[in-house]
Amino acid sequence: MSDALRKIAPAKPAADTLYREAPNNIEAEQALLGAILVNNDAYYRVSDFLKPAHLYEPLHRKIFEVASDIIRMGKTANPVTIKNFLPADAKVGEMTVPQYLARLAAEAVSIINAEDYGRAIYDLALRRALIQIGEDVVNIAYDAPLDMPPQAQIEDTERRLFELAENGRYDGGFQSFNDAVALAIDMAGAAFERDGHLSGISTGIHSLDSKMGGLQRSDLIVLAGRPGMGKTSLATNIAYNIAAAYEPEVMPDGSFKAKNGGVVGFYSLEMSSEQLATRIISEQTEVSSSKIRRGDITEADFEKLVACSQMMQKVPLYIDQTGGISIAQLSARARRLKRQRGLDVLVVDYVQLMTGSGKGGENRVQEITQITTGLKALGKELNVPIIALSQLSRAVESRDDKRPQLSDLRESGSIEQDADVVLFVFREEYYVKNSEPRDPADPKYPEWEALMDKVKGTADVIIAKQRHGPTGTVKLAFQAEFTRFADLADPSFTQYEEP
């Protein structure tokens, strides 16, 4: 006896049921299909979220699929127009398919509850999907296939669960312009109430925020520079500023949302977590990081370090120091962090040290393309800004003008294409210092000394691309001994700032 008929025919004794049945509600499916066949407007109440695969009974899936196609073509779906597209020789118990369609339509009461029926069907489909994921976990763990080690299975399961959690909602589809305007006003209101009046998350560097409006959610922000320019230092400064400013707000459902600052995840593929922590402590205490590493500190310095470490224990900054991590592993761990601790900003240092998820045979350009595309998709999926650090090609060094350009992004044009914002860190001091004349008596020495005085302790952050705002250059102060970027206190340092 088919499931469809089982729900119409008298129930048999429970003793006949010797197995546990997957969650389903055939009556709800019959009620929904009946409502659609009587009045096609019922279809539009569920079409945004309900698909044929969500129905449990195979015949019901086919009926819903055919009805959907007919209605989308602008025609009327009813028992007469649908029956020609269904198997003529199929039986539902003693009934033919046309008779079953007629019965569904005859027993339909109204379309008022169509959306409630659709949601009940959808929720049961999600429960069946959860069961399927659980069964796959058990079966794969028992089979132990060579191409899926336990860690890969965990990451795959987390991805499937997160997708199910994100997709298992009734929202989506078109929004009315009224709703879009309301969301825009809400964003403006939140920006007005937030410290700094920014629509995005403040970097803690005012002059950079004024150009960018903060870090916008779902944006991929590429921070690039040649070695020694300080891109890791700038990323670390921004990450700590955001985490230190974190101020949670309790939502009506009991969850937490960042009112200011945010929870930060930092993937450090180049440095260990201890090295990153040393940089941050040096920046906060103004004790040189080289002195900290050598132990060349005074008792007063040590007291500063202890006090700073105690204060930093409450900062929601989480560091993953796994080297050579793949985009799949990174995504799985980011989902886990968001689920367990929350997540507002993600930093990746740096893209060229990551690996793709392919099984080989790909060249490096394809691999970088896969990584940047994956980072962009992850930012949208988690609704967080991602700061991805990138190296620049050596072509910069061969030019007289060392200022980086978008074409200098290393190994793939996809970095420039996928990024919403591209920032370049450029310190002219680095190049001027290396060009120092060997002989102080050299006639060019005074000229070099004057140029060195002009650029010493400064850095340019060049906004080369920004989808939502202007490009330009921001002049910052840079204290190398503390690896600290900050706003310039002296407004006269504006020779490179563009209007």
Side-chain angles (χ1 to χ4, degrees):
M1 184 183 295
S2 74
D3 288 327
L5 184 62
R6 173 172 54 80
K7 296 300 183 178
I8 296 176
K12 289 189 176 182
D16 287 354
T17 305
L18 302 177
Y19 60 91
R20 190 161 56 173
E21 189 176 33
N24 67 85
N25 189 334
I26 299 298
E27 290 94 337
E29 295 180 8
Q30 291 171 334
L32 176 62
L33 292 174
I36 291 172
L37 294 176
V38 170
N39 187 335
N40 289 173
D41 287 343
Y43 170 75
Y44 294 110
R45 299 192 176 197
V46 298
S47 59
D48 278 350
F49 61 88
L50 196 66
K51 307 300 176 199
H54 295 142
L55 278 71
Y56 181 73
E57 165 64 36
L59 178 60
H60 290 170
R61 289 181 208 153
K62 186 64 177 174
I63 295 171
F64 187 78
E65 183 181 2
V66 172
S68 302
D69 292 340
I70 291 175
I71 293 169
R72 284 199 297 266
M73 292 170 63
K75 300 178 181 179
T76 301
N78 58 40
V80 176
T81 58
I82 283 182
K83 68 178 183 180
N84 295 327
F85 299 97
L86 297 172
D89 56 347
K91 289 279 189 177
V92 184
E94 298 299 323
M95 288 186 290
T96 63
V97 170
Q99 289 172 332
Y100 183 62
L101 291 172
R103 181 159 183 180
L104 288 177
E107 292 188 354
V109 180
S110 71
I111 69 167
I112 294 174
N113 297 322
E115 188 174 355
D116 292 333
Y117 293 143
R119 290 184 176 184
I121 294 166
Y122 190 78
D123 287 343
L124 290 165
L126 289 182
R127 289 171 59 188
R128 293 196 296 274
L130 278 172
I131 292 170
Q132 184 62 55
I133 292 172
E135 289 177 348
D136 289 346
V137 169
V138 172
N139 293 334
I140 293 173
Y142 269 113
D143 292 342
L146 291 175
D147 61 345
M148 184 168 276
Q151 189 59 40
Q153 186 187 356
I154 291 170
E155 290 163 3
D156 182 64
T157 303
E158 285 185 334
R159 176 188 58 77
R160 292 172 65 186
L161 285 170
F162 193 87
E163 284 176 358
L164 197 61
E166 288 299 297
N167 296 331
R169 302 181 301 187
Y170 307 120
D171 52 5
F174 284 105
Q175 287 182 324
S176 70
F177 188 63
N178 264 349
D179 293 339
V181 169
L183 287 173
I185 295 300
D186 287 345
M187 185 183 73
F192 180 75
E193 293 176 4
R194 189 181 291 124
D195 292 350
H197 304 311
L198 301 171
S199 59
I201 300 171
S202 173
T203 63
I205 302 174
H206 175 72
S207 51
L208 194 57
D209 287 338
S210 65
K211 281 275 190 181
M212 296 175 58
L215 308 180
Q216 307 298 321
R217 293 196 176 274
S218 81
D219 273 4
L220 175 59
I221 300 150
V222 171
L223 177 59
R226 288 292 295 157
M229 290 295 106
K231 58 184 180 298
T232 299
S233 299
L234 180 56
T236 306
N237 290 176
I238 291 173
Y240 183 78
N241 290 344
I242 293 171
Y246 178 59
E247 184 181 339
E249 180 181 12
V250 182
M251 303 304 289
D253 62 357
S255 62
F256 289 93
K257 179 183 176 182
K259 183 177 180 182
N260 285 308
V263 178
V264 181
F266 198 115
Y267 288 93
S268 180
L269 284 74
E270 187 175 32
M271 295 194 299
S272 68
S273 56
E274 292 86 356
Q275 290 172 320
L276 270 181
T278 300
R279 284 195 173 203
I280 294 171
I281 291 172
S282 172
E283 177 207 347
Q284 294 298 307
T285 60
E286 296 190 349
V287 177
S288 170
S289 57
S290 61
K291 287 186 176 181
I292 295 175
R293 285 193 298 271
R294 297 196 310 266
D296 182 19
I297 55 176
T298 64
E299 187 175 343
D301 289 338
F302 183 73
E303 288 177 359
K304 277 190 196 178
L305 297 180
V306 172
C308 180
S309 65
Q310 291 174 345
M311 177 191 70
M312 288 169 58
Q313 287 176 358
K314 297 180 180 179
V315 172
L317 174 59
Y318 301 96
I319 301 170
D320 187 322
Q321 59 181 353
T322 307
I325 193 170
S326 70
I327 183 63
Q329 291 173 319
L330 183 145
S331 300
R333 294 179 187 187
R335 294 185 191 104
R336 189 187 311 154
L337 178 60
K338 179 161 187 177
R339 188 173 65 249
Q340 295 176 346
R341 310 271 186 174
L343 182 63
D344 296 291
V345 178
L346 204 58
V347 182
V348 181
D349 182 17
Y350 55 90
V351 168
Q352 281 78 16
L353 290 178
M354 292 180 63
T355 59
S357 300
K359 294 185 178 180
E362 294 182 344
N363 61 38
R364 188 56 180 162
V365 172
Q366 291 174 323
E367 200 171 14
I368 291 293
T369 300
Q370 184 185 66
I371 291 167
T372 57
T373 303
L375 288 175
K376 178 60 184 170
L378 181 66
K380 292 188 71 175
E381 178 185 324
L382 301 180
N383 194 32
V384 300
I386 297 181
I387 302 174
L389 278 63
S390 175
Q391 288 282 18
L392 293 179
S393 69
R394 292 180 180 175
V396 176
E397 308 297 334
S398 62
R399 296 197 304 259
D400 291 336
D401 183 1
K402 309 294 186 185
R403 287 176 172 273
Q405 305 166 1
L406 287 172
S407 58
D408 296 324
L409 285 167
R410 187 173 165 187
E411 290 182 318
S412 176
S414 66
I415 299 177
E416 174 189 349
Q417 177 183 319
D418 292 331
D420 297 284
V421 180
V422 177
L423 305 176
F424 293 126
V425 184
F426 175 71
R427 291 196 302 117
E428 190 168 5
E429 177 188 1
Y430 176 87
Y431 294 104
V432 173
K433 187 176 182 180
N434 290 340
S435 65
E436 180 181 1
R438 293 185 178 181
D439 185 2
D442 190 320
K444 293 183 179 179
Y445 197 87
E447 182 183 342
W448 173 87
E449 200 169 28
L451 181 57
M452 187 64 183
D453 287 341
K454 183 179 180 182
V455 299
K456 187 176 182 181
T458 65
D460 292 341
V461 176
I462 303 166
I463 305 173
K465 176 185 177 182
Q466 186 174 197
R467 290 193 202 277
H468 319 298
T471 57
T473 302
V474 177
K475 196 76 172 175
L476 298 178
F478 179 66
Q479 295 171 284
E481 64 273 28
F482 308 139
T483 62
R484 178 200 290 166
F485 283 86
D487 291 299
L488 280 169
D490 185 351
S492 66
F493 284 95
T494 56
Q495 61 267 41
Y496 295 115
E497 189 167 357
E498 297 178 8

